[in-house]
């Protein structure tokens, strides 16, 4: 069995080198090649002795996911990749020029956590296509390494959001491993505060993550202000209704002091009325939260985007109730950046 280098931690590589009779620092050299120097092959690791490189080629491979398709948005900055894993499964990963909070100097990498998703949200292309398997931590950080190759000067200041395909909190242990790899100071080195885990509301996962002691941000895909509507849009709500979800979010804030973001997809004539805005305001009253509104990217279920007047009315109503609100900028739309869409188009052709 060959070892995939992408996904190994520094201590794993050091230990492995020792088992091969090599000094431990060789592990660090390999680690730097993978996570800092963007090596795609073992041959590139020119500061390793030739004999070791030969041995490594028999025992290991780098294993960055392969780019199957690349889509650029009109802004020429947003890039969406369709990536293929070793078993031929494909996921999407997106690079956006700004963070969701719009600080312009930063890149945001949007990662997938699973191939498909078992949760079946009504508006989501990934959910409607079903679940295949979890990604492992190497396949998750491999997306960052593939995306990073798309920019000339990635710099230090990147943001990472788990808002691609899949439900991260249903792939808990590999997500935690990937968070550690993303954060590692000798490696990719992203601050935990620059990482956001997005969940459809897996309540036990929220409590567990709160207790990890990692100051990562939590985004919760709310999309509805009452259980009746949320049961339809996010079927997981039947298992973890709002009266269980919201206390979990409060606990997340209490333990991490990170403000929770609530994602709310605006669906015309479904959840976009003043009535819904007021109900949402009441639901979240007293919680230190940010509401991020996302006009739907119409793919599944025949949903439509509200008019811009209706969107502004919704925002004003929430603000009058004292909520902090942002509207997600239009950028992914033209490149099917709502998760699952690019893969969906290609699967249909295959
Ligand atoms: N499973 C997690 C994370 C991945 S989905 C979750 O649901 O939070 C990431 C985000 O993409 C979610 O907020 C989801 O609601 C949103 N999304 C899915 N389909 C969309 C669509 N058609 N238009 C706009 N946003 C969509
Ligand atoms: Fe899964 Fe998130 Fe899509 Fe819902 S929105 S089906 S939880 S990926």
């Amino acid at each position: 069995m060959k070892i995939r280098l992408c996904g190994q931690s520094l201590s794993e590589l050091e230990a492995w080198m020792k088992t091969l009779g090599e000094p431990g620092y060789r592990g660090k050299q390999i680690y730097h090649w993978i996570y800092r120097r963007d090596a795609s092959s073992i041959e590139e690791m020119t500061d390793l002795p030739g004999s070791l490189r030969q041995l490594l080629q028999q025992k290991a491979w780098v294993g960055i996911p392969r780019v199957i398709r690349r889509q650029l948005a009109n802004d020429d900055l947003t890039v969406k990749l369709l990536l293929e894993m070793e078993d031929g499964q494909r996921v999407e990963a997106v690079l956006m020029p700004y963070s969701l909070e719009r600080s312009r100097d930063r890149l945001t990498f949007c990662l997938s956590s699973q191939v498909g998703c078992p949760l079946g949200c009504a508006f989501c292309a990934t959910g409607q296509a079903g679940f295949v398997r979890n990604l492992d931590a190497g396949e998750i950080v491999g997306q960052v390494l593939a995306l990073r190759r798309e920019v000339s000067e990635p710099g230090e200041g990147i943001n990472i959001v788990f808002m691609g395909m899949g439900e991260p909190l249903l792939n808990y242990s590999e997500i935690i491993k990937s968070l550690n790899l993303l954060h590692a100071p000798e490696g990719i080195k992203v601050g935990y505060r620059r990482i956001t885990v997005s969940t459809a509301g897996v309540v036990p996962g929220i409590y567990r993550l709160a207790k990890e002691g990692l100051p990562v941000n939590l985004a919760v895909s709310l999309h509805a202000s009452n259980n009746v509507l949320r049961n339809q849009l996010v079927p997981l709500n039947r298992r973890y209704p709002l009266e269980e979800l919201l206390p979990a979010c409060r606990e997340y804030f209490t333990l991490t002091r990170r403000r929770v973001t609530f994602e709310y997809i605006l669906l015309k004539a479904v959840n976009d009325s003043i009535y819904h805005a007021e109900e949402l305001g009441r639901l979240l009253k007293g919680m230190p939260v940010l509401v991020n509104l996302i006009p739907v990217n119409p793919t599944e279920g025949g949903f439509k985007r509200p008019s811009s007047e209706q969107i502004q009315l919704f925002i004003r109503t929430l603000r009058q109730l004292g909520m902090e609100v942002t509207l997600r900028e239009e950028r992914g739309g033209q490149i099917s950046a709502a998760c699952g869409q690019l893969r969906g188009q290609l699967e249909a052709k295959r």
Side-chain angles (χ1 to χ4, degrees), residues 179-217:
L179 292 177
N180 291 329
L181 285 167
L182 293 169
H183 178 258
E186 292 278 343
I188 301 174
K189 200 180 168 201
V190 185
Y192 285 126
R193 291 180 167 75
R194 300 254 156 229
I195 301 177
T196 300
V197 174
S198 179
T199 178
V202 180
V203 166
I206 294 174
Y207 283 112
R208 215 172 147 191
L209 188 63
K211 292 193 192 100
E212 293 287 340
L214 308 174
V216 295
N217 303 299

Side-chain angles (χ1 to χ4, degrees), residues 117 119-121 123-124 126-127 164-167 200 339:
C117 179
L119 296 182
C121 297
F123 45 79
C124 174
T126 303
M165 302 167 71
E167 169 52 49
C339 65

Side-chain angles (χ1 to χ4, degrees), residues 117 123-125 162-164 166-168 198-200 221 223 263 265 294-297 299 338-339 341:
C117 179
F123 45 79
C124 174
F162 284 87
M163 293 186 182
E167 169 52 49
S198 179
T199 178
S221 295
H223 310 323
E263 310 281 323
I265 297 190
I294 311 160
V296 69
N297 214 315
T299 49
C339 65
Q341 293 174 18

Side-chain angles (χ1 to χ4, degrees), residues 44-60:
E44 286 167 53
M45 303 181 181
T46 45
D47 56 0
L48 301 180
S51 55
L52 177 57
R53 267 182 277 156
Q54 261 178 5
L55 181 68
L56 285 180
Q57 277 175 1
Q58 290 160 20
K59 297 199 172 283

Side-chain angles (χ1 to χ4, degrees), residues 134-135 137 140 168-180 208 212:
N134 280 328
L135 293 177
I140 294 169
L169 296 184
L170 292 180
N171 185 14
Y172 193 86
S173 58
E174 295 302 310
I175 290 297
I176 297 296
K177 259 194 237 167
S178 75
L179 292 177
N180 291 329
R208 215 172 147 191
E212 293 287 340

